[in-house]
Structure formats: C-alpha cells, structure tokens
Amino acid sequence: MFDLTGKRALVTGASGGIGREIAKALAAAGAIVALSGTRVGALEDTAKEIGKDSPILPCNLSKLDDVDKLVPSAEAAMGGIDILVNNAGMTRDNLFMRMKDEEWDEVIAVNLTAAFHLNRAVLRSMMKQRFGRIIGISSVVGVMGNPGQGNYAASKAGLIGMNKALAHEVASRGITVNSIAPGFIASAMTDELNDKQREAILGTIPANRLGTAQEIAGCAVFLASDAAGYITGHTLNVNGGMAMI
Amino acid sequence: MSDVADRVRKIVVEHLNVDAEKVVEKASFIDDLGADSLDQVELVMAFEEEFSVEIPDDAAEQIQTFGDAVSFLTKAVG
C-alpha cells in the first residue's frame, strides 16, 4: 500500500535537510527520484545516498525561465512524472515595517510562484495518465504566522490555498494535491540556536522535542502512496502538537 | 464527412462518453455533450496531439462546439 515502485518523482530543494530526506524516503519506497536544487555537489551527495540512478537537475527557482525547463527535463529523464514535491523554500526575515520589496518578492517568487509554475507544468501529463500526486511543503508559520516572517508566512499560506484550489480542479482526474506543514524541524539552522532559545521553542511544543526531517519524509511517502488516494486538498500539520488544528 | 471531422468526433465520443449521433455540428461541448471546463481543456489537449498542432489559449476559448473544432482544425492542418 505504501509501495512506490515504478513511480517517478521530482523533488525540489533536494540538496539538503527535509528535501534530501524526502528524496531518500521516496526512493526507498521504490520511486525513481529526480533531484533538483541549486547546489550540484549536495545533489550529487543525495544521489549517492540514494544509491540508485537519480537524475540531477540543477535549477534556480528564482528564475522562471529555469523553472519552466525543469518539468520537461525531469519528464525527459524519467519518461514522465507521477509525484511532484514542491519542497524548496527560502527565508528573508525582517520586521514588517522594515521589510523591503525585494525581500518580499524574492520569497514569494521561490516559495510560491515557482510552485505555481511547476504545478501547472505537471498537470498535462498527470491529467492524461489519470494519476498524480502533488505535495507542497508549507510550514506551521503559514498556518499560525510568526513575527519577522510576513513574507514567508504569506508564501507558505499561499501554497496551502493554491493547492486547495488545484485539488478541487483535478480531483476527478485521479490527481491529489496536498500540503505538509512542518513545525520546528531539527536542521543546520536549529543547531545554531543557543540553549535559552531552544528552551523557549520547546516550551511551545507538547512533544518537547524538535521534529526530524525523516518524520516529514514519512508523511510525504504516505501522501504519495496509494494509501492516501482519497486525501486531497489537505494540510498535514506535523509539529509535535505545537498547533493542533 | 471529412477526415478531420471523423477524427475529431472519435476523440469527443471517447472522451465525453457520448453517442456519436449526438456529436453534430452545432453541438456545444458543455451545453449539449455534458463536458465541464476541465473536459474542454482535455479535449483541446487531445486535438493538439491528434493533429500535431498547437492551439493557443485564446483560440481554444473560441472552440465551443464540435463544428468550431472541426473548422479550426481543418484550417490548422490545411
């Protein structure tokens, strides 16, 4: 039921953190996984960890010309796409009153506009094959808001809304469109927190620990699998109980 | 009946699951043949593939009936 043998996946932001674990987990479940990201070396490392042939497709998601080549390249490399994971994301934090237009635009472009373009690009073949799984990696910040992250919150909430609208449109064609909203996940970024910061964060998390990238990857495998065939337009909140919604 | 019309009718019948007799010149995909807007997009995709042509969005919007499709595609492949 969770087997993905024969499925072809494209994962953006596969060079590190959550994206890398998602790519590895999809591959472990049997899928062929095309890896996209900006850092080729890191993508090659991911491919090595996967241990089977994984097309490496470098792409800068802030450049729409590049974005629009990504799906055709992935389809050419794998013969089609069954699973798209819009995982790539970036932050440019600033207080609202100080936020520059460029900081807003850049985050919306990478986190939301690129996902729109990629979603649109995979629809044609997914509609034709009457099967598709689109998964957007949102954030608890998109659901709850967070000071200093107006741009990021907007992009991540936008992803959820966009995916719900698309889920309506294509549900009758066997395509599901869902989002995962991770809470605080252990990463290079959270490693840099000092004890006091860490304590403050943990105080808001009933599970009293950070999540792991594997715990997000497992959710992605579930949503991509036949087990989740009747789930669409959903947002899976994976946050240790930090926001029970 | 032209070859183009036959090929278009075959696609419409298969895609919308309707009787071939209902696919007449003035038959509107949405009003008469039960298509929804997504079906209409898929029909255009199928036409593009069958006839190896590209149908721009503004032209696709004008294709409302079987007759519209046949006349557009007749010109396009002409």
Side-chain angles (χ1 to χ4, degrees), chain A residues 124 128 130 169 173, chain B residues 38-39 42 45 48-49:
Chain A
R124 180 175 273 252
K128 210 179 290 173
R130 290 288 190 268
E169 287 188 23
R173 304 309 196 260
Chain B
L38 197 56
D39 286 319
E42 285 188 304
M45 278 164 46
E48 287 180 328
E49 200 151 303

Side-chain angles (χ1 to χ4, degrees), chain A residues 16-239:
Chain A
I18 293 173
R20 174 177 290 189
E21 292 306 322
I22 290 173
K24 283 162 62 180
L26 292 172
I32 302 168
V33 186
L35 310 168
S36 183
T38 44
R39 292 173 294 140
V40 178
L43 292 174
E44 282 166 352
D45 290 345
T46 306
K48 232 174 273 167
E49 285 184 38
I50 286 174
K52 60 180 175 185
D53 219 7
S54 305
I56 291 173
L57 308 170
C59 179
N60 180 346
L61 294 181
S62 63
K63 297 190 174 134
L64 284 180
D65 287 347
D66 284 11
V67 174
D68 289 336
K69 286 178 196 140
L70 183 54
V71 166
S73 319
E75 287 177 337
M78 301 186 292
I81 294 181
D82 304 291
I83 302 161
L84 168 65
V85 183
N86 283 307
N87 163 74
M90 61 172 293
T91 55
R92 283 281 181 275
D93 297 355
N94 211 342
L95 286 176
F96 222 95
M97 291 180 72
R98 297 186 189 281
M99 187 166 290
K100 296 177 183 59
D101 286 1
E102 302 81 66
E103 291 168 333
W104 173 270
D105 290 342
E106 206 178 346
V107 168
I108 297 293
V110 169
N111 296 5
L112 186 57
T113 309
F116 157 59
H117 275 244
L118 296 174
N119 283 358
R120 189 175 57 185
V122 296
L123 285 177
R124 180 175 273 252
S125 61
M126 284 184 179
M127 292 217 320
K128 210 179 290 173
Q129 68 198 15
R130 290 288 190 268
F131 180 89
R133 293 281 193 266
I134 295 175
I135 300 166
I137 305 304
S138 178
S139 165
V140 67
V141 170
V143 181
M144 304 288 287
N146 199 31
Q149 295 199 299
N151 49 1
Y152 186 75
S155 71
K156 293 300 188 178
L159 196 63
I160 290 173
M162 173 178 73
N163 282 354
K164 286 182 179 178
L166 177 56
H168 271 285
E169 287 188 23
V170 298
S172 64
R173 304 309 196 260
I175 304 169
T176 69
V177 191
N178 292 292
S179 308
I180 298 173
F184 279 101
I185 303 301
S187 67
M189 208 167 68
T190 56
D191 287 346
E192 284 170 21
L193 298 171
N194 61 37
D195 285 353
K196 206 173 162 195
Q197 289 171 316
R198 180 175 294 263
E199 228 167 86
I201 289 171
L202 291 183
T204 67
I205 306 173
N208 201 33
R209 66 172 178 86
L210 301 180
T212 66
Q214 287 88 346
E215 286 167 329
I216 304 304
C219 296
V221 170
F222 168 60
L223 289 175
S225 74
D226 288 344
Y230 202 50
I231 298 176
T232 195
H234 189 72
T235 304
L236 212 45
N237 290 285
V238 190
N239 56 38

